Amino acid sequence: LKEPDDKPSEDVKFAGARILVVDDEEVIRMLLTDLLSDDGHEVESVPCGEDAVVWLKDHPCDIVVTDLMMPGINGLKVLEAVKETDPDIEVLVMTGYSSLETAVECMKLGAADYLHKPLNIDEIRITVTRLLEKKRLQAKAKELDFYKELSRTDGLTQLYNHKFFHQLLSSEV
């Protein structure tokens, strides 16, 4: 096994994550699309919350980056819709009008992070990389649990297998 280090592995950074950018400002959408596409991700952008909700129904994605203040469906409603659609999708909320109350509300609704505008390019890259690493680790943990259970039980009967029975018996004795 490889020793863990402080920075995520390169295969996570360039894993080709599917990312949806939701912002009513075209300049921000273009900036984020270019930045994240350059990092190897598949990026789609929409100008409003309504379009995001519709797009998410037909397209799976890994991360949604949404502005908080938008006409129509705002970022909080987008966050709620994303979590209803798929709770495993990570949501980054960004805003130029930040307050402690809105940050707390976003986190309560399941936002992965809360970014302040003007955006810092390095902060965006680091945050996206961290979220992808988190998703990778969660997938590995689920896989580990699956194989652990598979090693203890018979595939046909779902009963404990002979080896696990003897391990359990010796620990009980």
Side-chain angles (χ1 to χ4, degrees), residues 74-85:
N74 66 19
L76 288 175
K77 296 293 183 191
V78 170
L79 173 58
E80 289 174 348
V82 168
K83 292 302 178 178
E84 286 175 12
T85 302

Side-chain angles (χ1 to χ4, degrees), residues 25-171:
E25 295 180 50
E26 185 177 1
V27 173
I28 300 292
R29 285 196 319 271
M30 290 174 50
L31 170 80
L32 290 172
T33 300
D34 291 345
L35 174 70
L36 297 170
S37 295
D38 288 348
D39 283 349
H41 305 298
E42 181 184 324
V43 183
E44 182 69 34
S45 68
V46 294
C48 63
E50 290 86 354
D51 290 349
V53 172
V54 170
W55 188 88
L56 283 166
K57 288 181 182 176
D58 297 327
H59 303 87
C61 73
D62 300 302
I63 298 174
V64 173
V65 181
T66 183
D67 188 18
L68 185 62
M69 304 299 274
M70 295 181 290
I73 295 180
N74 66 19
L76 288 175
K77 296 293 183 191
V78 170
L79 173 58
E80 289 174 348
V82 168
K83 292 302 178 178
E84 286 175 12
T85 302
D86 183 353
D88 292 333
I89 297 174
E90 299 291 350
V91 180
L92 293 175
V93 177
M94 57 186 178
T95 184
Y97 307 100
S98 60
S99 71
L100 183 59
E101 292 80 22
T102 56
V104 169
E105 183 67 22
C106 288
M107 295 302 169
K108 282 182 180 178
L109 292 174
D113 212 334
Y114 187 83
L115 304 176
H116 305 276
K117 290 181 181 178
L119 298 172
N120 178 302
I121 292 173
D122 290 331
E123 180 183 21
I124 294 166
R125 281 191 167 129
I126 290 168
T127 303
V128 168
T129 301
R130 180 181 51 82
L131 292 178
L132 292 175
E133 178 69 5
K134 176 184 168 189
K135 288 179 81 63
R136 186 187 70 78
L137 290 173
Q138 287 172 334
K140 286 247 186 221
K142 285 180 185 176
E143 185 178 316
L144 179 65
D145 289 342
F146 170 76
Y147 285 118
K148 185 176 181 180
E149 187 64 26
L150 188 62
S151 73
R152 293 179 172 182
T153 58
D154 177 73
L156 180 61
T157 64
Q158 301 301 312
L159 298 174
Y160 289 126
N161 62 25
H162 185 74
K163 180 181 176 186
F164 184 71
F165 171 76
H166 282 286
Q167 289 173 343
L168 190 58
L169 183 62
S170 67
S171 70

